Amino acid sequence: MRHGRVADRLVRERAAQLEVTAPVPLAQPEQLVMCTDGAMVQLTNGDWREVKMVTFGEFRPCWDAN
């Protein structure tokens, strides 16, 4: 539990730093695609937990008559 609390604190500190120092994004796509998924992973103690993932991408329609 202690290691988890330390890891959480480090992640939160890094996220706060990135929010302050990150450049303003220049890309402004017309449409975005979002894909979510989950997978079950086994921990070192034998328990199983779900890992949730998300991916974002820019959508560009493409038509090829052939």
Side-chain angles (χ1 to χ4, degrees):
M1 294 295 289
R2 186 185 65 185
H3 291 106
R5 285 191 294 270
V6 171
D8 183 60
R9 182 179 51 81
L10 292 173
V11 168
R12 289 177 188 272
E13 288 174 0
R14 180 67 176 139
Q17 179 188 20
L18 288 173
E19 289 175 355
V20 172
T21 61
V24 176
L26 301 176
Q28 296 181 2
E30 292 180 21
Q31 291 184 327
L32 288 176
V33 177
M34 180 181 81
C35 181
T36 59
D37 199 359
M40 296 299 289
V41 295
Q42 189 174 22
L43 304 178
T44 55
N45 67 358
D47 290 345
W48 288 84
R49 296 288 188 266
E50 184 179 13
V51 177
K52 297 177 182 175
M53 299 157 280
V54 63
T55 304
F56 295 94
E58 182 176 357
F59 177 77
R60 293 186 184 172
C62 180
W63 173 256
D64 185 356
N66 295 327

